[in-house]
Amino acid sequence: MSRLSPAALGSLPSSIRQPSYDRSKVTIGIVHLGIGAFHRAHQAVYTEECLERGDLHWGILGASLRSTDTRDALGPQEGLYTVAARSSAKTDFRVIGSVVRLMVAPDDPEALVDAMAQESVKIVSLTVTEKGYCIDPLTGQLNETHPDILYDLANAHRPRSAPGFIVAALRLRRENGLAPFTVLSCDNLPANGEKLHAIIVRLASMIDPMLGAYIDEHVAFPSTMVDRIVPQTTDEDRAFVAQALSLKDAWPIITEPFTQWVIEDNFPQGRPDWGSVGAELVHDVAPYEAMKLRLLNGAHSMLAYLGSIKGHVTVADAMADPDLGAFIAAFMVDDVTPTLVIPKGADVAAYRDALLERFRNTSLKHRLSQIASDSTQKIPQRFLGTARDRLAMGLPLGRLAMGIAGFIYYAGGVDRHGRSLELKDPLASELSNRLANAAPDAAAKVEAVLSLDKVFGSELPHQPAFRVAVVEAYTSLAVGFDIP
Ligand code: CS2
């Protein structure tokens, strides 16, 4: 079977959409750091629509900050890849052409900095996951002792981290007399633009205080809320797509039909007309972010821990478990919703119903272990904001206690059937050591994890309403085997 490539597009079945614009005329307007599956299912698809409408200034240069996998897979396909949007009823296949160039940062860091400093580039966007920000999740400030940041301070022209690349490229543009690009965070962090702004200004100031002041004054960092469920691609998915295309795609993307993008409209250097292709441009993203992070991602993490402990593998499996499905629905209504500021015009009940429906999509094999990865980076924005708001409102911790206890149980590394659970986390060994060294009683296990102040802070775990509820929930999980 031949490989997906520009030359092979002619042989695609007519039912499969493919780029109808002239890709050779596309110029690079966006450099994206972290060209993973999420970006290719989300921003790159919105941008594809803009290219289809004739604005060819917004081609994407996709850079990987570490792995060569994406470049190796898509390079021979000249950036083309398939998006398969699957509902329980059908699959829509589409070949996307908006990624016109690929780079791997460590191959030649200076070349990436140069590419970001080209005049045609107006936006540098990022999906580098929570940990890619080198952020202290608790304070939201730059982690100045992060090894990548220490490296970048010593090698400012040949950086390693996403913040390091942004600072280096903004510095070069300034030296060359070019206007700065807009920096667009597309990761699941609340106030992602604001946080990135603080991090970049701090890092730049440590390199050159004048540069820090310049960035603070002149560079825009709009916040965004991004949403589309994108499970990791499997070999089975590759075979499924190859059958539909009669071509081999080394890295197709499997996703759901739903997609949402809410963007703070602050792009001094211009942007694609994403608003005309379905994105929502708003003045304040914060209420949308909180609603999505606490309802969708909060419920996802809850499912990941409790579902995995019970032996489920995918989100849809866990949702089909009647006790767990009901527990998740109640968590959204009773525990999260009272803490939300509902965005103007939004229907939160319809939003929740749609989420439950999305989670039940049996065509997506969305593994719970994928969601459970990097938990220590995710828990603060998924659970702890809700927890703090509830306690401040005089409400009990409610089902959140089960979420946090579920995480502690999960971090123990064994499900309730004795099978091992995969713990992929920057703090994995610290977590395992703490749990292994703690006394066997529930209070000691809970203490071993809640005292991780990098995650839980120093204040919340000391509130009796928080601690007692988590110990009770952990006891019912670990001792009573009472799992929703
Ligand atoms: C998931 C998210 O892996 C995870 O932690 O909760 O990737 C989720 O699928 C997306 O945020 C949906 O927009």
Side-chain angles (χ1 to χ4, degrees), residues 38 42 130 188 225-231 256 258 260 292-293 296-301 304 358-359 366-373 378 382:
F38 182 78
H42 192 263
E130 296 85 346
N188 280 321
M225 182 274 255
V226 295
D227 189 8
R228 197 166 202 189
I229 293 173
V230 189
E256 58 177 342
F258 181 91
Q260 189 180 14
K292 190 256 170 174
L293 281 165
L296 187 157
N297 298 106
H300 251 175
S301 290
R358 291 168 64 195
F359 292 170
H366 193 195
R367 297 177 76 83
L368 297 170
S369 59
Q370 183 181 340
I371 300 168
S373 69
K378 294 173 175 173
R382 295 181 179 205

Side-chain angles (χ1 to χ4, degrees), residues 220-241:
F221 292 84
S223 281
T224 57
M225 182 274 255
V226 295
D227 189 8
R228 197 166 202 189
I229 293 173
V230 189
Q232 271 153 12
T233 305
T234 62
D235 286 341
E236 204 181 327
D237 297 328
R238 287 187 177 83
F240 172 71
V241 170

Side-chain angles (χ1 to χ4, degrees), residues 393-443:
M393 291 160 87
L395 296 170
L397 193 55
R399 293 176 185 81
L400 280 164
M402 208 37 115
I404 295 164
F407 163 64
I408 299 171
Y409 189 130
Y410 186 100
V414 184
D415 77 5
R416 75 157 166 195
H417 309 288
R419 287 185 294 242
S420 65
L421 292 167
E422 187 186 13
L423 185 61
K424 262 171 87 185
D425 196 286
L427 300 180
S429 51
E430 186 166 358
L431 275 168
S432 304
N433 291 339
R434 281 168 171 257
L435 284 167
N437 294 331
D441 60 294

Side-chain angles (χ1 to χ4, degrees), residues 140 213 250 342:
I342 308 300

Side-chain angles (χ1 to χ4, degrees), residues 17 21 32 71-72 77 106 120 148 169 201 216 221 273 285 328 331 333 375 389 399 420 423 465 483:
R17 254 184 104 181
Y21 53 91
H32 185 79
R71 192 265 324 268
D72 295 347
Q77 302 176 185
S120 68
D148 289 353
V201 168
D216 196 22
F221 292 84
D273 192 2
V285 178
I328 291 295
F331 165 66
V333 176
S375 285
D389 285 354
R399 293 176 185 81
S420 65
L423 185 61
I483 307 175

